[in-house]
């Protein structure tokens, strides 16, 4: 009994170490592959310059801006909606309704991204094009709206879970004081679960940044630096997907490692930052 | 990579459906005799213009002898050449002649089995039905950015283009635009099929596809008065044309060789013509 317990424990450790090693190995691989880029500061000039393969310039500045705008905008759309939905599920709505609603949200996480992309191409894009007279309709706005929908289920589930993790004595105290559900939400639940909200936001941000298909199908993939949210833009991820077919030995191909490295570093930094912030304010309490 | 995967999925599904249909009808085929008692798998990827022909040929072969498996993926000419060179697929299709360094690096053998034009297309609702070469260059460079200036309605022109691994883009850029700039505001799509559906869905869009792909969902635009169709490509009056190549790493062997041989038989060339391309035999 004890022996098998130890065996199981060991196999879990091996699995955990393997996962961690894989993450680090990917980073090492990216570093090695993009090593030639660091010679002579090419990496930094690539980040600043435009993409113009005909003239031998393989900068990724437009894609950086593209990814940034699409991701931030999609978080702006998704955050209030997700917060509201989670409040509805865990506090306000009657249990029968919230259970049903939760089931639907859980089902949404299982829908393949390409389906959202499809719906976007045939319903959202023509609508945006006619509504705002906005070029092809394949632009930052369309992509960010659809992306918001893709990241929402995860966000809602994490929010709801953190709402439900609050000690029942706290919420019971509000009930005892005669507080309404909304008061409970504003004065007890939200302040107590801000860390859950933060981690939900971070995970969704990572998901939004890593998503390739939505941006590839809906953002139009133009290589110009976007001036407004009605302009077509190319995300770092879709850029990798589009350029990966280039000759393996070309500079064009090497430059996509810059994209990968930027994506990787940025997500890592973000997660570290959020963890750090979370710890700091815990000490304050 | 993702776009390739999706495409493969689509084609696989379409393929399976067609396969079932084909099973029902037994086809007589003298030229298919070479596939008697053969077994194995042929993996094909690359040029998206080639896919209709590849699919039809594959269906015929599989119906004739279902011990043979054929998988067809897209990805673009660049992907085709790269994957065949790296040994990932047996046949890499390209809508352009592989470059000399590609041929020597990968020891490629090329088989040009059809000629194809690249036609400019707009949405069927569009009233602009012809352009001069200069207008075409100006539209794609972004110098002309409103349909009104070339006889259409007062709407911005939406340009669609393909990524750099596309053979269709290469030929269009060289022979249609004289290597002129393509506007940075242009939207990128990943295959001939995607180009067609983008333009079919956008009343103000303009793009370019393989002539074999033109159907009623898009409107071909005549260039200097010459319509991009099979006849004009064949007699040489329509200039934006290229060969369709299937490439193998070294000399093809076994069923891969037979597959390519079949493309050059009268039956194979008939399929080529049926799909809207020009037979190499009638050159």
């Amino acid at each position: 009994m004890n022996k098998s317990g130890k065996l199981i424990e060991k196999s879990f450790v091996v699995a955990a170490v393997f996962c961690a090693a894989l993450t680090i190995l990917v980073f090492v691989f990216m570093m090695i592959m993009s090593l030639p880029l660091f010679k002579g500061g090419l990496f930094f000039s690539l980040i600043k310059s435009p993409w113009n393969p005909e003239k031998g310039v393989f900068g990724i500045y437009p894609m950086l801006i593209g990814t940034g705008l699409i991701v931030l905008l999609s978080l702006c759309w998704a955050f209030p909606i997700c917060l509201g939905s989670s409040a509805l599920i865990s506090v306000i709505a009657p249990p029968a309704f919230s259970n049903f609603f939760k089931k639907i949200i859980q089902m949404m996480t299982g829908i393949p991204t390409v389906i959202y992309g499809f719906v976007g191409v045939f319903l959202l894009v023509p609508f945006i094009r006619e509504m705002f007279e906005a070029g092809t309709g394949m632009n930052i706005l369309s992509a960010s709206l659809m992306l918001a929908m893709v990241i929402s289920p995860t966000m809602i589930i994490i929010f709801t879970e953190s709402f439900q993790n609050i000690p029942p004595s706290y919420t019971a105290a509000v009930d005892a004081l005669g507080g309404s559900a909304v008061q409970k939400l504003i004065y007890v639940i939200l302040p107590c679960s801000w860390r859950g909200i933060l981690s939900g936001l971070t995970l969704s941000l990572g998901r939004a940044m890593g998503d390739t298909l939505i941006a590839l199908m809906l953002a139009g993939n133009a290589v110009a630096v976007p001036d407004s949210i009605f302009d077509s833009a190319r995300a770092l991820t879709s850029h990798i997907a589009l350029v990966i077919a280039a000759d393996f030995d070309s500079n064009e191909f090497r430059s996509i490692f810059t994209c990968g490295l930027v994506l990787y570093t940025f997500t890592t930094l973000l997660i570290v930052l959020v963890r750090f912030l979370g710890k700091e304010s815990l000490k304050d309490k | 990579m993702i776009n390739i995967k999706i495409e493969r999925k689509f084609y696989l599904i379409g393929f399976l459906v067609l396969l079932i249909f084909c099973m029902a009808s037994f086809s007589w085929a003298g030229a298919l005799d070479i596939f008697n008692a053969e077994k194995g798998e042929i993996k094909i990827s690359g040029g998206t213009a080639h896919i209709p022909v590849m699919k039809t040929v594959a269906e015929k072969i599989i119906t004739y002898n279902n011990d043979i498996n054929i998988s067809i993926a897209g990805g673009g000419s660049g992907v085709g050449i790269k994957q065949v060179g790296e040994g990932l697929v047996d046949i890499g299709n390209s809508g352009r002649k592989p470059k000399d360094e590609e041929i020597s690096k990968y020891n490629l053998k090329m088989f040009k089995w059809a000629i194809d034009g690249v036609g400019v297309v707009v949405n069927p609702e569009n009233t602009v039905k012809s352009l001069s070469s200069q207008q075409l260059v100006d539209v794609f460079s972004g110098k002309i950015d409103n349909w009104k200036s070339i006889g259409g309605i007062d709407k911005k022109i939406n340009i669609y283009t393909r990524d750099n691994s596309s053979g269709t883009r290469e030929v269009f850029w060289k022979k249609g635009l004289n290597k002129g700039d393509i506007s940075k505001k242009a939207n990128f799509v990943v295959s001939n099929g995607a180009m067609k559906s983008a333009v079919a869905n956008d009343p103000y869009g303009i793009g370019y596809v393989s002539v074999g792909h033109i159907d009623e969902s898009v409107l071909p635009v005549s260039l200097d008065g010459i319509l991009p169709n099979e006849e004009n490509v064949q007699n040489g009056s329509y200039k934006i044309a290229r060969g369709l190549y299937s490439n193998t790493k070294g000399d093809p062997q076994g069923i891969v060789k037979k597959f390519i041989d079949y493309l050059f038989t009268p039956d194979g060339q008939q399929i080529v013509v049926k799909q809207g391309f020009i037979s190499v035999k009638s050159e």
Side-chain angles (χ1 to χ4, degrees):
Chain A
M1 194 62 194
N2 205 10
K3 248 186 186 171
S4 74
K6 264 189 183 160
L7 199 73
I8 289 170
E9 199 184 303
K10 262 186 193 158
S11 58
F12 281 149
V13 170
V14 169
V17 169
F18 180 73
C19 279
L22 215 58
T23 323
I24 295 165
L25 269 177
V26 169
F27 185 70
V28 171
F29 165 76
M30 300 276 299
M31 284 301 278
I32 292 174
M33 288 304 280
S34 52
L35 211 56
L37 292 168
F38 283 104
K39 285 175 188 150
L42 189 62
F43 180 78
F44 299 100
S45 74
L46 278 182
I47 285 180
K48 283 182 291 185
S49 47
W51 177 259
N52 199 343
E54 271 91 35
K55 297 204 170 70
V57 186
F58 304 107
I60 57 162
Y61 178 69
M63 296 73 177
L64 276 175
I65 303 292
T67 290
L69 283 175
I70 292 171
V71 168
L72 286 180
L73 213 58
S74 72
L75 281 183
C76 289
W77 306 134
F79 182 61
I81 294 173
C82 291
L83 207 58
S85 307
S86 334
L88 192 75
I89 289 175
S90 48
V91 187
I92 297 163
F97 176 78
S98 61
N99 275 338
F100 171 72
F101 196 53
K102 216 172 158 183
K103 286 268 150 55
I104 289 186
I105 303 277
Q106 275 163 356
M107 204 184 78
M108 267 176 82
T109 53
I111 299 175
T113 330
V114 67
I115 306 284
Y116 289 103
F118 251 2
V119 172
V121 167
F122 290 106
L123 296 179
L124 186 65
V125 166
F127 175 75
I128 299 269
R129 178 172 57 225
E130 297 303 329
M131 184 81 177
F132 299 100
E133 302 229 323
T136 57
M138 293 195 194
N139 52 31
I140 295 175
L141 182 66
S142 309
S144 66
L145 281 171
M146 242 345 159
L147 202 55
M149 203 152 152
V150 171
I151 60 176
S152 289
T154 328
M155 221 196 260
I156 294 175
I157 286 173
I158 296 175
F159 285 1
T160 322
E161 254 162 34
S162 73
F163 286 1
Q164 279 157 358
N165 277 342
I166 291 166
S169 57
Y170 288 21
T171 46
V174 181
D175 290 336
L177 288 169
S180 68
V182 178
Q183 282 171 325
K184 199 194 310 185
L185 180 75
I186 294 173
Y187 295 110
V188 178
I189 296 180
L190 285 184
C192 284
S193 55
W194 73 269
R195 289 190 74 188
I197 293 175
L198 207 61
S199 73
L201 262 179
T202 326
L203 283 176
S204 316
L205 180 68
R207 170 113 209 257
M209 249 175 87
D211 190 88
T212 318
L213 217 54
I214 296 293
L216 191 67
M217 288 174 89
L218 300 177
N221 302 318
V223 286
V225 179
D227 300 322
S228 77
I229 57 168
F230 299 116
D231 274 349
S232 292
R234 191 185 278 199
L236 287 167
T237 44
S238 19
H239 183 61
I240 296 179
L242 284 165
V243 177
I244 198 122
D247 192 5
F248 192 76
D249 275 336
S250 62
N251 279 329
E252 206 171 340
F253 189 81
R254 260 177 233 123
S255 84
I256 63 176
F257 280 96
T258 328
C259 297
L261 206 62
V262 169
L263 277 172
Y264 195 109
T265 332
F266 194 79
T267 4
T268 314
L269 279 181
L270 203 82
I271 287 169
V272 170
L273 188 77
V274 169
R275 288 270 155 82
F276 181 73
L277 279 176
K279 261 186 194 151
E280 280 294 291
S281 38
L282 208 67
K283 271 183 207 158
D284 290 347
K285 279 186 182 172
Chain B
M1 283 317 267
I2 287 178
N3 55 331
I4 302 163
K5 264 191 204 151
I6 301 161
E7 228 158 274
R8 178 177 291 174
K9 231 183 230 167
F10 287 160
Y11 290 127
L12 256 171
I13 293 165
F15 195 59
L16 284 174
V17 170
L18 284 166
L19 196 67
I20 293 161
F21 279 108
C22 288
M23 292 292 195
S25 66
F26 186 75
S27 67
W28 304 93
L32 287 168
D33 285 347
I34 48 170
F35 293 103
N36 261 336
E38 285 286 354
K39 228 180 218 175
E41 198 187 2
I42 309 175
K43 281 183 278 187
I44 305 170
S45 77
T48 55
H50 304 56
I51 287 176
V53 172
M54 293 284 135
K55 250 164 66 181
T56 321
V57 170
E59 275 156 23
K60 287 214 161 178
I61 295 172
I62 297 176
T63 323
Y64 183 79
N65 176 354
N66 58 20
D67 284 336
I68 300 175
N69 262 321
I70 302 174
S71 68
I72 303 164
S77 301
V79 172
I81 291 169
K82 203 162 114 183
Q83 291 193 339
V84 75
E86 286 162 4
L88 295 172
V89 294
D90 305 304
I91 298 174
N93 291 327
S94 64
R96 59 172 167 87
K97 197 166 176 263
K99 290 175 197 133
D100 289 338
E101 62 259 32
E102 286 168 337
I103 296 171
S104 60
K105 188 166 137 200
Y106 295 135
N107 183 27
L108 291 182
K109 288 280 177 296
M110 307 169 291
F111 301 91
K112 176 177 161 188
W113 46 263
I115 298 161
D116 175 29
V118 177
V120 177
V121 289
V122 294
N123 190 278
E125 284 174 32
N126 206 313
T127 48
V128 178
K129 290 184 171 62
S130 69
L131 290 171
S132 70
S133 327
Q134 189 53 45
Q135 279 173 330
L136 185 71
V137 171
D138 289 346
V139 165
F140 272 86
S141 70
K143 217 164 148 193
I144 296 177
D145 66 350
N146 198 310
W147 286 109
K148 212 167 99 183
S149 0
I150 44 176
I153 47 171
D154 185 14
K155 289 278 183 191
K156 277 230 154 129
I157 300 177
N158 298 328
I159 307 165
Y160 291 92
T161 185
R162 297 273 307 276
D163 50 281
N164 282 18
S165 72
S166 156
T168 313
R169 173 197 168 111
E170 179 109 0
V171 174
F172 179 73
W173 178 63
K174 262 188 201 149
K175 298 185 179 168
L177 303 178
N178 292 321
K179 300 195 179 184
D181 284 340
I182 295 178
S183 163
K184 281 187 159 191
K185 299 260 176 196
N187 279 202
F188 282 74
V189 292
V190 290
S191 67
N192 271 296
M195 178 68 90
K196 209 167 69 179
S197 55
V199 173
N201 274 311
D202 184 348
Y204 323 117
I206 187 168
Y208 49 89
V209 292
S210 146
V211 166
H213 275 73
I214 296 177
D215 58 20
E216 63 280 2
S217 69
V218 289
L219 184 76
V221 175
S222 59
L223 204 58
D224 294 323
I226 298 158
L227 208 64
N229 58 23
E230 291 140 56
E231 199 188 331
N232 289 337
V233 174
Q234 190 165 7
N235 64 29
S237 55
Y238 189 80
K239 295 287 182 228
I240 313 175
R242 40 81 182 263
L244 293 185
Y245 295 83
S246 280
N247 309 295
T248 57
K249 191 182 173 79
D251 285 314
Q253 307 285 336
I255 47 171
V256 176
K257 180 174 182 331
K258 288 184 175 174
F259 183 94
I260 289 173
D261 285 346
Y262 181 77
L263 287 171
F264 289 93
T265 61
D267 284 26
Q269 289 293 309
Q270 208 186 334
I271 295 172
V272 166
V273 173
K274 235 187 183 159
Q275 295 295 340
F277 302 109
I278 315 302
S279 162
V280 279
K281 293 283 155 74
S282 60
E283 235 187 343

